Amino acid sequence: MFILPRGRMLQDTRQSEIYNLLQVHRTCTITDLAQRFDVSDETIRRDIRQLEEEGFAFRVRGGVTLKETAAEAPYLVRRNQNAEKKQAIALKAAALVEDGMTILIDSGSTSYWLSRALTKPRNLTVITNALDVAREMTGRNGCKVFFAGGEIDYDYQSCFGPDTEAFMNRFTPEIAFFAIGAVDSRRGLLDFHYPEASLKAAICAQASRVVALVDSTKFERQGIIKALDFKQIDIFVTDQTPPPQLLTALNEVEVLIA
């Protein structure tokens, strides 16, 4: 169960939490949001106007509704959405990593939390295209970090494209960790960003094991582009048991619940 903190919050954090609530409930009232965050109705209305201007929601009488076609929020906002779920997933995934392994960690907010959780393994070789992951892992416990460069995408704080994919494809990691934007039981693992989905598809075959990092808000969510089939992953790490239809689709995959 996700519990919102009481008391005043920074505006960008509050807007992030409102978006998080909309991911779960689809619609919220202004009165309920004002009580949850201990702010005035007018403050919530300003937050809603900002979310609407950024294309993540739209106003309705007395409240706000999730814009179903909204793309992912910018990375620095997404990183703190559902943080407790992502941290639990990261700890479970980190337990798969042993000293001396070569691992690949792609971009994504859950990937960031995984890099934070990898405090015990020593002498890792880490390949990543994510700036935050590279910063976290560089110099830690004798780790070697190989950053797949290129043009940095500001919204994703990562590099993508043919040069990035070619660099990452030169490595043969024992585990590749992929943060997933959406999961559909009929269509597979989805994303909201073509370059990100393209990178996953291009490099997954190089890894001995592919691990998908998926928090439960992504279940049966509508992405815009397919990244991977279920058969292309080996382990599915999440924070709660997937619904029956999704479990059926994952029947050949090891599902780890954080």
Side-chain angles (χ1 to χ4, degrees):
M1 179 179 178
F2 184 73
I3 302 173
L4 284 169
R6 299 290 296 177
R8 294 187 177 276
M9 307 173 67
L10 294 174
Q11 183 179 15
D12 57 349
T13 304
R14 188 175 57 247
Q15 289 171 5
S16 172
E17 298 293 3
I18 291 171
Y19 182 71
N20 176 36
L21 275 174
L22 290 172
Q23 292 283 338
V24 177
H25 301 293
R26 295 298 187 258
T27 299
C28 297
T29 68
I30 290 172
T31 300
D32 181 55
L33 291 172
Q35 290 175 349
R36 283 176 180 269
F37 294 108
D38 193 21
V39 295
S40 68
D41 288 4
E42 183 54 38
T43 296
I44 294 298
R45 289 191 183 94
R46 285 197 296 269
D47 290 334
I48 291 172
R49 282 196 293 271
Q50 185 65 33
L51 288 168
E52 187 173 44
E53 289 173 6
E54 294 176 359
F56 301 123
F58 59 89
R59 286 173 286 179
V60 295
R61 185 177 178 84
V64 59
T65 294
L66 180 72
K67 187 174 182 180
E68 296 290 349
T69 58
E72 285 187 296
Y75 168 74
L76 293 177
V77 176
R78 288 186 292 116
R79 194 173 72 180
N80 293 321
Q81 292 172 348
N82 303 302
E84 291 182 3
K85 295 176 184 288
K86 293 172 182 177
Q87 289 169 27
I89 290 167
L91 288 170
K92 194 76 171 184
L96 300 170
V97 179
E98 300 175 0
D99 290 354
M101 275 188 167
T102 297
I103 63 173
L104 184 148
I105 305 175
D106 81 336
S107 60
S109 54
T110 311
S111 296
Y112 163 75
W113 290 112
L114 173 60
S115 69
R116 293 282 301 270
L118 287 169
T119 57
K120 293 182 180 179
R122 304 189 63 82
N123 302 318
L124 299 177
T125 298
V126 180
I127 307 101
T128 188
N129 64 316
L131 290 172
D132 264 1
V133 173
R135 280 192 290 260
E136 285 291 331
M137 300 303 301
T138 298
R140 181 189 295 167
N141 295 340
C143 290
K144 297 178 184 177
V145 177
F146 291 87
F147 181 73
E151 182 179 3
I152 297 172
D153 185 309
Y154 173 77
D155 286 340
Y156 285 80
Q157 294 292 293
S158 301
C159 293
F160 303 101
D163 290 341
T164 303
E165 293 170 12
F167 180 85
M168 297 179 91
N169 259 325
R170 295 169 64 185
F171 295 88
T172 55
E174 289 156 271
I175 305 177
F177 293 98
F178 293 137
I180 304 299
V183 183
D184 185 291
S185 55
R186 295 179 295 106
R187 295 180 297 168
L189 308 178
L190 313 175
D191 257 311
F192 296 88
H193 185 228
Y194 177 82
E196 194 171 19
S198 177
L199 184 139
K200 289 177 172 64
I203 65 177
C204 72
Q206 293 298 100
S208 298
R209 286 189 294 172
V210 175
V211 177
L213 309 174
V214 188
D215 73 71
S216 54
T217 66
K218 312 295 176 60
F219 294 168
E220 304 297 0
R221 186 179 177 193
Q222 298 296 308
I224 64 171
I225 185 167
K226 185 170 182 176
L228 299 169
D229 287 315
F230 292 117
K231 65 183 180 182
Q232 291 176 281
I233 65 172
D234 300 287
I235 301 174
F236 185 91
V237 187
T238 187
D239 58 286
Q240 68 181 46
T241 303
Q245 192 171 359
L246 183 53
L247 270 181
T248 299
L250 289 164
N251 66 342
E252 295 184 1
V253 172
E254 183 180 0
V255 178
L256 301 181
I257 309 298

